[in-house]
Amino acid sequence: MTARVFVTHQLPGERIHELARFCDLNVWMGPGLLPAATLRAEAAACQGLICLLTDRIDRQLLDAAPGLRFVSSMSVGVDHVDVAALTARGIPLGHTPGVLVDTTADTAFALLMAAARRLGEADRFVRQGKWAADTAWAPDFFTGKDVGGATLGIVGLGAIGQAMARRAAGFGMRVLAWNRTPRAVPGVELLSLDEVLAHSDFVSVHVALTEQTRQLLDARRIALMKPGAVLVNTARGGIVDECALAAALADGHLFAAGIDVYEQEPVAADNPLLGLPNVVLAPHIGSATLHTRALMADMAADNALAALRGAPMPCCVNPSVYAPGGAREPG
Ligand code: DGY
């Protein structure tokens, strides 16, 4: 029997076309985000699923999809997936690490620079016609914070954290970092998380969202940050307490923030960060270049192709399913 594979969005890249030769491929054509009820109905009839980080793959969905043999997510983060539930069912989960490292670090550094130099505020100021004779160039006009020579604190020294450290080195920054398991990286001083927060002018978050990292930067830790520091988050919203961050930005404890990810996405209209002038906001675009998104889609398709062949996925989150008696064959 030809395996049926459902893809929850039209994907870029080349490999998805190859995949179509090996299965009965059904692609959600939109518009917009796939409704959860449609995902459930489609999953019920398929053996393979290629999804995005906007699709919740939980126990309820898996219960509705008894024939499901593999899931491949076009994302490196898998906090939208109940990995334990997949593993318990012997279902491999593919993801896309590596290819988005530099693109995401570029976004983080761009947000760092924009927040430091108040580019969001400055852009609005010019567009709104506020740049007039009585609000023109002056010694204190739109003054920000210097990046060159400042101290960057990296929370999570994985591949993206290390790419951030390389960028910081080019700006002559001192680089401090915290990582759950100690990791020696040239030019980076490893400290405890609280020390990194207390000694950094800029803090950039690069850990995955897990039960251990949820609200890792809570009110206590945000209060530990150096007065006048800048926080950048391109990892996941749930890692930072958004209300505590907004309060620290509003009362002047922190100078600014650059935020690409939110506890709830798309961001809720009443998110307290939205009303603050000193936050540069982006809509989860860390990996958003044409090239990188095509590479991610190709990896997601390659993971699915391997699963269809009954082979281990090249990038599998839960390889224990391949132990004897683990993964279930598609078809
Ligand atoms: C991922 O792949 O997890 C990223 O958040 C996408 O930008």
Side-chain angles (χ1 to χ4, degrees):
M1 186 186 85
T2 308
R4 188 177 161 91
V5 175
F6 180 61
V7 189
T8 67
H9 203 280
Q10 283 178 275
L11 298 189
E14 300 299 323
R15 305 287 286 165
I16 193 74
H17 304 294
E18 171 144 6
L19 187 71
R21 294 176 29 222
F22 294 95
C23 62
D24 172 8
L25 198 67
N26 180 17
V27 182
W28 164 257
M29 302 300 275
L33 291 181
L34 174 71
T38 311
L39 173 58
R40 215 167 22 253
E42 292 288 350
C46 72
Q47 286 75 51
L49 194 57
I50 301 184
C51 65
L52 304 184
L53 54 79
T54 46
D55 303 309
R56 187 139 298 284
I57 313 296
D58 54 16
R59 274 169 210 274
Q60 218 188 345
L61 180 92
L62 297 179
D63 288 346
L68 194 63
R69 299 293 181 264
F70 69 85
V71 177
S72 172
S73 183
M74 187 191 135
S75 64
V76 62
V78 291
D79 46 286
H80 56 298
V81 181
D82 186 336
V83 182
L86 250 67
T87 307
R89 289 165 169 79
I91 299 175
L93 169 64
H95 72 149
T96 64
V99 291
L100 44 60
V101 165
D102 282 309
T103 308
T104 307
D106 285 349
T107 305
F109 215 85
L111 284 171
L112 184 155
M113 297 282 289
R117 299 302 303 276
R118 303 172 59 184
L119 290 184
E121 279 177 85
D123 178 87
R124 291 190 293 276
F125 184 82
V126 176
R127 279 177 203 283
Q128 292 165 5
K130 293 183 178 164
W131 193 19
D134 55 344
T135 53
W137 199 98
D140 62 351
F141 188 54
F142 271 103
T143 47
K145 277 177 75 82
D146 281 314
V147 173
T151 299
L152 171 66
I154 296 176
V155 176
L157 200 50
I160 300 175
Q162 291 179 42
M164 195 65 179
R166 289 195 292 278
R167 281 152 182 75
F171 280 74
M173 298 178 93
R174 177 183 177 206
V175 182
L176 313 178
W178 169 79
N179 199 59
R180 190 170 46 90
T181 49
R183 170 171 285 169
V185 173
V188 178
E189 300 167 49
L190 280 188
L191 296 174
S192 71
L193 178 55
D194 288 1
E195 286 170 324
V196 167
L197 296 174
H199 297 294
S200 300
D201 303 301
F202 296 88
V203 171
S204 192
V205 179
H206 299 287
V207 287
L209 175 61
T210 63
E211 279 323 302
Q212 288 71 44
T213 62
R214 188 171 290 285
Q215 303 279 296
L216 184 68
L217 297 200
D218 56 9
R220 182 189 76 80
R221 289 213 165 100
I222 289 171
L224 279 181
M225 286 176 70
K226 207 168 159 178
V230 171
L231 180 73
V232 174
N233 188 7
T234 52
R236 284 293 185 270
I239 298 162
V240 177
D241 179 336
E242 286 174 344
C243 290
L245 173 62
L249 288 160
D251 70 17
H253 172 56
L254 297 186
F255 179 74
I259 303 293
D260 185 46
V261 288
Y262 306 83
E263 176 82 53
Q264 182 190 322
E265 295 184 7
V267 68
D270 63 352
N271 186 305
L273 296 172
L274 265 55
L276 295 169
N278 51 345
V279 190
V280 181
L281 302 165
H284 202 147
I285 57 169
S287 63
T289 65
L290 287 175
H291 178 66
T292 293
R293 288 289 164 82
L295 292 175
M296 291 169 72
D298 281 351
M299 275 183 95
D302 281 343
N303 280 330
L305 272 165
L308 283 171
R309 285 199 309 268
M313 289 179 166
C315 284
C316 185
V317 174
N318 55 347
S320 65
V321 298
Y322 295 122
R328 299 153 74 193
E329 291 291 309

